[in-house]
Amino acid sequence: MTTDHNTPRVAIVTGGSRGIGRQTAARLGREGYAVAVTYGGAKDEGEQAAAEVVAAGGQAIAVQADVADEASVAALFDEAERAFGGVDVVVNSAGIMRLAPLAELDLAELDAHLRTNVRGAFVVDQQAVRRVRSGGAIINVTSSLTRFARPGYSAYAASKGAVEAITLILARELRGRDITVNAVAPGPTATALFLDGKPQELIDRMAAEVPLERIAEPSDIADVIAFLAGPARWINGQTLYANGGAI
């Protein structure tokens, strides 16, 4: 999708070096977007993800940023604007997930969730509000765990519930700007973040809960994000639960 016949729409994808973010960047590349692929510490993976966007037919740069640091995120947006002339879409997919029962969770882990998943989303959204052009879209990646309520996920689900609240409020605050704000809440998805440390028996049990009888691939979620980024102009202030019908 392009802003006109010659100028591509421009997207920033945080967490773009891995998992859902990486698949989303490539998916937008297939739509002809110019993408700023954002990575935290894995420079090689960020550059590989950017190369995949180009191979898919888009334009891309890889940019390092700490999503919870205001100066770093402002520099990210500056770099995207220098490279491509502006920003139309922001996909907030950077996040962490560390599991433990609430009674046993180290509070430092809670603080880490709040810093990356909540403050990070807030800081990126704040810059997006200031920079995204009319006709644009802001898409936050949350989680169906806010509804699944599985034991061990209290810190992660709480952080994602906060992002869902931010999403609706921000959509209302942007009245008159012609910018949509939505969240996508994946269910179990075959990313390194999700699969790490889980036995196959548990993964199979989660897959069996889904009417489609599998867990999602990152590309399944990327398709939903691409829909919200482009043609879905009448969806606004919503959380779309992309989990194959598990809830």
Side-chain angles (χ1 to χ4, degrees):
M1 185 174 185
T2 57
T3 53
D4 58 39
H5 292 299
N6 300 308
T7 305
R9 279 167 71 84
V10 178
I12 291 174
V13 180
T14 70
S17 62
R18 299 177 182 175
I20 290 170
R22 186 164 179 161
Q23 285 295 319
T24 296
R27 178 68 173 77
L28 294 176
R30 291 200 300 274
E31 296 287 333
Y33 279 72
V35 184
V37 176
T38 308
Y39 63 91
K43 181 178 180 181
D44 289 347
E45 290 182 339
E47 291 177 346
Q48 290 164 10
E52 290 173 4
V53 174
V54 175
Q59 303 173 47
I61 56 172
V63 185
Q64 193 279 333
D66 175 356
V67 293
D69 181 85
E70 183 178 6
S72 182
V73 172
L76 161 65
F77 277 75
D78 289 343
E79 187 66 22
E81 289 174 346
R82 278 194 296 269
F84 304 125
V87 177
D88 301 291
V89 173
V90 173
V91 180
N92 240 322
S93 63
I96 64 169
M97 180 171 64
R98 297 166 189 167
L99 308 182
L102 186 148
E104 301 171 14
L105 184 73
D106 188 321
L107 291 179
E109 296 285 15
L110 174 62
D111 291 343
H113 280 84
L114 296 176
R115 185 182 190 279
T116 299
N117 295 359
V118 181
R119 180 185 169 92
F122 196 101
V123 170
V124 172
D125 280 355
Q126 190 173 67
Q127 285 295 320
V129 168
R130 298 169 181 172
R131 311 277 195 121
V132 168
R133 297 182 286 206
S134 177
I138 300 168
I139 303 152
N140 295 320
V141 177
T142 64
S143 174
S144 287
L145 282 160
T146 58
R147 290 189 176 180
F148 286 146
R150 295 188 188 277
Y153 287 87
S154 57
Y156 181 74
S159 70
K160 292 302 187 178
V163 175
E164 291 184 9
I166 290 168
T167 298
L168 175 56
I169 292 170
L170 183 55
R172 291 177 173 175
E173 289 178 349
L174 289 179
R175 174 183 293 272
R177 292 274 305 276
D178 191 26
I179 296 170
T180 61
V181 187
N182 292 291
V184 175
T189 304
T191 65
L193 183 69
F194 171 77
L195 295 173
D196 184 38
K198 291 184 174 66
Q200 188 61 46
E201 181 275 332
L202 175 59
I203 295 168
D204 291 344
R205 189 166 71 245
M206 290 181 175
E209 295 173 354
V210 180
L212 298 175
E213 297 188 329
R214 66 177 178 87
I215 66 172
E217 293 296 329
S219 58
D220 294 317
I221 311 305
D223 287 343
V224 178
I225 294 172
F227 176 61
L228 292 173
R233 298 305 301 167
W234 202 238
I235 299 176
N236 192 27
Q238 305 300 311
T239 298
L240 273 62
Y241 289 88
N243 52 47
I247 56 172

